[in-house]
Amino acid sequence: MKKSEQTHYEWFFYAMSFLGLAKIGCRELINQKYRDKDFLTEDLLYGAEESNSRFLLIPIFFNVKHSLELFIKTVGVNIDGEYRDKHDLDYLLKDLKSRVKNLFKNRNKNEIFQKIEDLKSIVKKYFLYNFLENMNPIRDYNNELFRYPSSKRGINISQELEKFDSTKVGEILNDIKKIHILFISIRGLTNSTKLGHPNPGSWS
């Protein structure tokens, strides 16, 4: 495997790793097979079992959003060698679509566009935090709201998670499965090696 191919593989592997851990977290919330309540000290535990699910919801949602960001960047560099140093999922996806339009002149372009549109609906859901009910849409330009308890914009996402309906974890798990399928499909359609494009440059 050439160095550039190895680099692409590693970035794709990272995106899939974050997504995979989110999937495991969802399954654990549903099955509660390995849950270790002793992991949290008494002062960190909440009274209701539903509230305690927040312990895993934080990394689940962060990993879903981070995997989306990594994957979109991975595909972008894979097709033209350009890396976008941004965290805005909406911008990254629009930029990716523009790059596909400029680069792909063959029949694969329409199929790629359709897959990107399918991914767009999921990206929008997590970019605007539409999965949290009774919460106004938030444009998380820096993809930061699950990295810290509160943000510079004064948004306390932890409080919003307390309102999350834990019975909807299955819906998040289904989203993860859809994302996984789209990752595999889009990567295959835009693989620069298969399509004979020049080797991408440095990821920097």
Side-chain angles (χ1 to χ4, degrees), residues 78-79 103-104 106 189-200:
N78 197 32
I79 63 176
L103 186 64
F104 289 85
N106 55 32
L189 289 169
T190 58
N191 188 296
S192 62
T193 302
K194 290 181 181 178
L195 295 172
H197 296 148
N199 286 332

Side-chain angles (χ1 to χ4, degrees), residues 79-80 95-105 109 113:
I79 63 176
D80 64 13
D95 175 71
L96 178 62
K97 191 170 183 178
S98 175
R99 292 154 79 181
V100 168
K101 182 178 180 180
N102 292 333
L103 186 64
F104 289 85
K105 307 298 182 183
K109 183 165 67 175
F113 275 170

Side-chain angles (χ1 to χ4, degrees), residues 12-13 18 38 102-103 119 148 192 202:
F12 181 70
F13 183 83
F18 281 103
D38 293 334
N102 292 333
L103 186 64
L119 186 63
Y148 310 104
S192 62
S202 172

Side-chain angles (χ1 to χ4, degrees), residues 13-24:
F13 183 83
Y14 266 61
M16 294 294 276
S17 296
F18 281 103
L19 189 67
L21 196 55
K23 182 179 181 180
I24 291 171

